[in-house]
C-alpha cells in the first residue's frame, strides 16, 4: 500500500497507522513525492504482538517538513481478512483496517485499488472499475474513485449480476448475488433434518424441530430483483429529497453474515437474511423470523441512505454520529412512506418511539434515560448496553421526523418543499466534508418557518437543546370535543395539557380532526411551554362532519403515552 500525505505540523517523526493487528508489517519506506521515480528510503516501524498491543506506527529517521508531500509504502501480509463461507461465499472480516490507513471516516482520500484474485472469482469494490485482465491464474482488476472517499471496501466471491439505471436520478444500481450455498445453510439443513448439528450460538431456533422440511439449496438470485427495485426506489427518492450523489452507480452485494448490513461509498453489503423468503426465515428462526420482516424490508433503504449520510456528508465527531445513523434511519422511514403509504410510516415511528422509551432486558434504565444523542457511543454502558442504537438511530431519526413535520405545508402542492430545500442545502454545503450538529442547526435556522421561531430570536436552540442535547420527553393529555359551530363551521373546545417537563420546555403540538379510521386532517398547532394546561376554543370550516378531535396524531412530537 502506498499512502500520499502532507504533514500539517513541522517535525513529524512518528505516524500512527490503522491496520488489523493480524496483518503483519514486513517493510516500510518513504520518499518525497515529485516527478520521476521515487527515491525510496527505509523507515522503522512499530507493531507489537497481535495478541497484545498490535497498533502500528511508522518512525521516520528525521522530522518531516510541514506541507511537504510524502509517499509512504508499506508491505504486509496475513490470511484472516477473508473467511471462506463455502461455495464461493466469503465474509470480509476486517472492514476498516484491511489496508493501512491514517483514519477511516475522518480522512477522505482518493483511492486506486488493484486486486489480484484467483481466476473464476470476482471482486466488487468501492470506486469505478477502469481495467480488468488475466495474468496466468489470476484475475487483475483496477478500481478508482472519482472523488475523495472516507473508506475503501470490497466484496469477494462468485456473483450473478442484475442492474438497472434510474432515469430520474441517473444512478445505475447493480445487485450481486452468490449462486452457491454457504456452509451455514448446510448446517441448518442438517439440524432441520434432525442431524443434531450445532449451528451457531443459539442464534437459530430451528422451526422444523428435526425431521421436518429443509431449506434445500438456496437460490438468492431469485430475490435479486426485489433488492434491485428497492435500490432504484432509494436512488430516486433520496436524490429528490437530499440532492445528487457524486457517484453515478451503487453496487448492492450479498454477504454471508446473517443480520449485518454495511454501506461503503458506492458499495453496500446486504445481510444474507435479506435474500431469504419470509417462509425460510420463519423456518430457520422460529417466531423471531416473522419479527425480522421489518428489518429485512428496511435495511436496504437504511444502508442505501448512507451514500448521503456518512459518505457524502460525514460526522465530525462521535457526538455527531446521529447525523449519519439517525439520518439514515429517518431515510428508511421516508422510503417506507413512499413505498407502503402513510399508515406504515406512522407505524415505523411508533416502533421507534417504543425503542426509545422502553427499558429493554439487560438495561437498568430506559434507553432514553441513558443520555442525550450527543453522548454517541458513550451511551452503551453496563447499565444501558443497547442504548446506543436506540438513541442514535431511533431518536436521531425521530428528531429529523419532527423537523420535517414542523415544516410540512399541507396546503401546498409540494408539502415537503421547505424540508427538501433544507436537506439539499445541507448536502450542498457539507458534501465531501465532516459536519457537526451545530452545522446542521445553522442550516435548519436558515430554512425555519415563522412558526418554528418559538423564542423569537431566529434560533432553534430551544429545539436542539431539548431533543439533541437533552433527555426530556413530554406526556400529553387532551380533552377535546367537536360540535357544530356558526356559519356551517365546526367548533373545537376543551383543554390540552403538557406534563412531566421542565418549565422552559417548548413544543408545537398539532391538532387533528378525524373523519374516519383512514382519513384525518391537521387543523392547527398549539404552542406549549412547561407543565401547562391550555384552553382550546376555535371554529374552523371543514369539508364534512368530523368524528373527533385529537392531538399529535402522526407522532410529530416524541411523547410518552
Amino acid at each position: 500500500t502506498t499512502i500520499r500525505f502532507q504533514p500539517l505540523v513541522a517535525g513529524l517523526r512518528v505516524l500512527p497507522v490503522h491496520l488489523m493487528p493480524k496483518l503483519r508489517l514486513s517493510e516500510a519506506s518513504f520518499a518525497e513525492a515529485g516527478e520521476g521515480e521515487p527515491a525510496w528510503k527505509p523507515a522503522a516501524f512499530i507493531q507489537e504482538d497481535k495478541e497484545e498491543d498490535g497498533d502500528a506506527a511508522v518512525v521516520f529517521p528525521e522530522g518531516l517538513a510541514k506541507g511537504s508531500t510524502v509517499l509512504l509504502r508499506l508491505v504486509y501480509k496475513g490470511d484472516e481478512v477473508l473467511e471462506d463461507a463455502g461455495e464461493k461465499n466469503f465474509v470480509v472480516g476486517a472492514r476498516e483496517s484491511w489496508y493501512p490507513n491514517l483514519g477511516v471516516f475522518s480522512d477522505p482520500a482518493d483511492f486506486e485499488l488493484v486486486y489480484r484474485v484467483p481466476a473464476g472469482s470476482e471482486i466488487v469494490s468501492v470506486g469505478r472499475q477502469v481495467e480488468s485482465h488475466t495474468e496466468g491464474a489470476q484475475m487483475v482488476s483496477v478500481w478508482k474513485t472519482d472523488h475523495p472517499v472516507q473508506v475503501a471496501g470490497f466484496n469477494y466471491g462468485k456473483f450473478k449480476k442484475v442492474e438497472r439505471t434510474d432515469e430520474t436520478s441517473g444512478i445505475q444500481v447493480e445487485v450481486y448475488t452468490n449462486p452457491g450455498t454457504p456452509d451455514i445453510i448446510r448446517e441448518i439443513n442438517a439440524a432441520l433434518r434432525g442431524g443434531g448439528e450445532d449451528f451457531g450460538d443459539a442464534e437459530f431456533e430451528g422451526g422444523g424441530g428435526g425431521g421436518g422440511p429443509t431449506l434445500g439449496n438456496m437460490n438468492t438470485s431469485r430475490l435479486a430483483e426485489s433488492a434491485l427495485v428497492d435500490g432504484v426506489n432509494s436512488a430516486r427518492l433520496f436524490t429528490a429529497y437530499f440532492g445528487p450523489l457524486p457517484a453515478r452507480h451503487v453496487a448492492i452485494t450479498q454477504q454471508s453474515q446473517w443480520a449485518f448490513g454495511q454501506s461503503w461509498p458506492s458499495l453496500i453489503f446486504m445481510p444474507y437474511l435479506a435474500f431469504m423468503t419470509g417462509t425460510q426465515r420463519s423456518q430457520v428462526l422460529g417466531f423471531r423470523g416473522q419479527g425480522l420482516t421489518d428489518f429485512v424490508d428496511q435495511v436496504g433503504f437504511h444502508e442505501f441512505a448512507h451514500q448521503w449520510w456518512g459518505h457524502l456528508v460525514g460526522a465530525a465527531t462521535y457526538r455527531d454520529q446521529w447525523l449519519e445513523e439517525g439520518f439514515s434511519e429517518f431515510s428508511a422511514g421516508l422510503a417506507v412512506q413512499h413505498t407502503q403509504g402513510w399508515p406504515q410510516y406512522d407505524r415505523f415511528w411508533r416502533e421507534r418511539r417504543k425503542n426509545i422509551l422502553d427499558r429493554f432486558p439487560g438495561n437498568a434504565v430506559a434507553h432514553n434515560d441513558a443520555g442525550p444523542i450527543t453522548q454517541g457511543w458513550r451511551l452503551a454502558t453496563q447499565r444501558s448496553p443497547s442504548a446506543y442504537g436506540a438513541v442514535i438511530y431511533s431518536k436521531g431519526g425521530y428528531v429529523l421526523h419532527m423537523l420535517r413535520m414542523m415544516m410540512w405545508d399541507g396546503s401546498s402542492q409540494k408539502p415537503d418543499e421547505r424540508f427538501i430545500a433544507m436537506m439539499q442545502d445541507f448536502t450542498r454545503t457539507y458534501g465531501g466534508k465532516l459536519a457537526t450538529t451545530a452545522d446542521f442547526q445553522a442550516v435548519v435556522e436558515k430554512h425555519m418557518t415563522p412558526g418554528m421561531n418559538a423564542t423569537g430570536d431566529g434560533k432553534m436552540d430551544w429545539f436542539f437543546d431539548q431533543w439533541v442535547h437533552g433527555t426530556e420527553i413530554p406526556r400529553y393529555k387532551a380533552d377535546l370535543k367537536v360540535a357544530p359551530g356558526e356559519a356551517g363551521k365546526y367548533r373545537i373546545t376543551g383543554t390540552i395539557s403538557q406534563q412531566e417537563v421542565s418549565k422552559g420546555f417548548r413544543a408545537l403540538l398539532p391538532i387533528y380532526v378525524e373523519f374516519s379510521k383512514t382519513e384525518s386532517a391537521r387543523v392547527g398547532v398549539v404552542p406549549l411551554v412547561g407543565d401547562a394546561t391550555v384552553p382550546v376554543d376555535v371554529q374552523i370550516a371543514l369539508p364534512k362532519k368530523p368524528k373527533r378531535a385529537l392531538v399529535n396524531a402522526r407522532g410529530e412530537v416524541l411523547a410518552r403515552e
Side-chain angles (χ1 to χ4, degrees), residues 52-252:
E52 297 177 6
D53 180 6
D55 292 344
V58 175
V59 182
F60 299 101
E62 58 186 23
L64 302 177
K66 178 181 179 180
S68 59
T69 301
V70 180
L71 299 177
L72 173 63
R73 186 172 63 185
L74 298 169
V75 180
Y76 56 101
K77 67 178 180 179
D79 61 2
E80 296 193 40
V81 170
L82 286 171
E83 177 186 341
D84 190 341
E87 285 199 11
K88 300 286 186 173
N89 283 273
F90 289 84
V91 175
V92 182
R95 300 296 176 83
E96 301 170 1
S97 55
W98 61 277
Y99 60 94
N101 63 80
L102 306 184
V104 297
F105 300 112
S106 61
D107 182 33
D110 294 303
F111 283 82
E112 179 179 3
L113 299 146
V114 182
Y115 298 94
R116 300 175 184 274
V117 303
S121 296
E122 301 168 69
I123 284 286
V124 185
S125 174
V126 161
R128 176 173 49 87
Q129 185 172 332
V130 297
E131 185 183 341
S132 178
H133 64 274
T134 302
E135 291 183 9
Q138 288 188 331
M139 177 64 69
V140 181
S141 62
V142 181
W143 303 70
K144 291 184 178 180
T145 59
D146 295 322
H147 57 92
V149 298
Q150 299 188 64
V151 63
F154 69 96
N155 206 351
Y156 172 67
K158 182 68 176 176
F159 301 105
K160 285 185 177 181
K161 173 185 173 183
V162 294
E163 61 185 306
R164 187 177 304 162
T165 299
D166 173 46
E167 295 181 358
T168 303
S169 65
I171 295 175
Q172 179 182 348
V173 179
E174 305 161 353
V175 176
Y176 295 83
T177 54
N178 189 292
T181 301
D183 293 341
I184 188 68
I185 297 298
R186 303 183 208 286
E187 296 169 12
I188 291 170
N189 282 336
L192 293 175
R193 284 192 298 265
E197 293 194 29
D198 175 16
F199 52 96
D201 298 332
E203 182 179 354
F204 304 101
E205 297 180 15
T214 69
L215 296 175
N217 293 321
M218 293 289 295
N219 183 3
T220 57
S221 62
R222 291 182 305 175
L223 296 176
E225 187 65 26
S226 176
L228 187 63
V229 169
D230 284 348
V232 169
N233 283 336
S234 297
R236 182 180 307 144
L237 177 65
F238 299 156
T239 298
Y241 269 77
F242 311 137
L245 288 176
R248 306 315 296 158
H249 87 280
V250 176
I252 300 169

Side-chain angles (χ1 to χ4, degrees), residues 431-452:
K433 302 176 183 177
L434 303 178
T436 67
T437 298
D439 293 331
F440 178 61
Q441 179 178 338
V443 174
V444 174
E445 289 170 352
K446 281 176 60 179
H447 296 269
M448 62 191 291
T449 66
M452 294 165 68

Side-chain angles (χ1 to χ4, degrees), residues 473-485:
I473 305 288
R475 188 186 304 276
Y476 293 107
K477 302 279 187 179
D479 181 12
L480 299 175
K481 295 180 175 58
V482 184

Side-chain angles (χ1 to χ4, degrees), residues 316-331:
T317 73
Y318 73 90
R319 294 184 177 275
D320 311 299
Q321 196 64 39
W322 73 285
L323 299 177
E324 297 182 3
E325 299 297 353
F327 278 39
S328 294
E329 195 74 349
F330 166 81
S331 302

Side-chain angles (χ1 to χ4, degrees), residues 13 17 72 112 136 177 179 195 199 210 213 272 289 360 390 395 421 486 543 552:
R13 290 272 328 261
V17 174
L72 173 63
E112 179 179 3
T177 54
F199 52 96
Y272 201 88
F360 280 62
K395 190 177 182 183
E486 300 173 357
N552 211 28

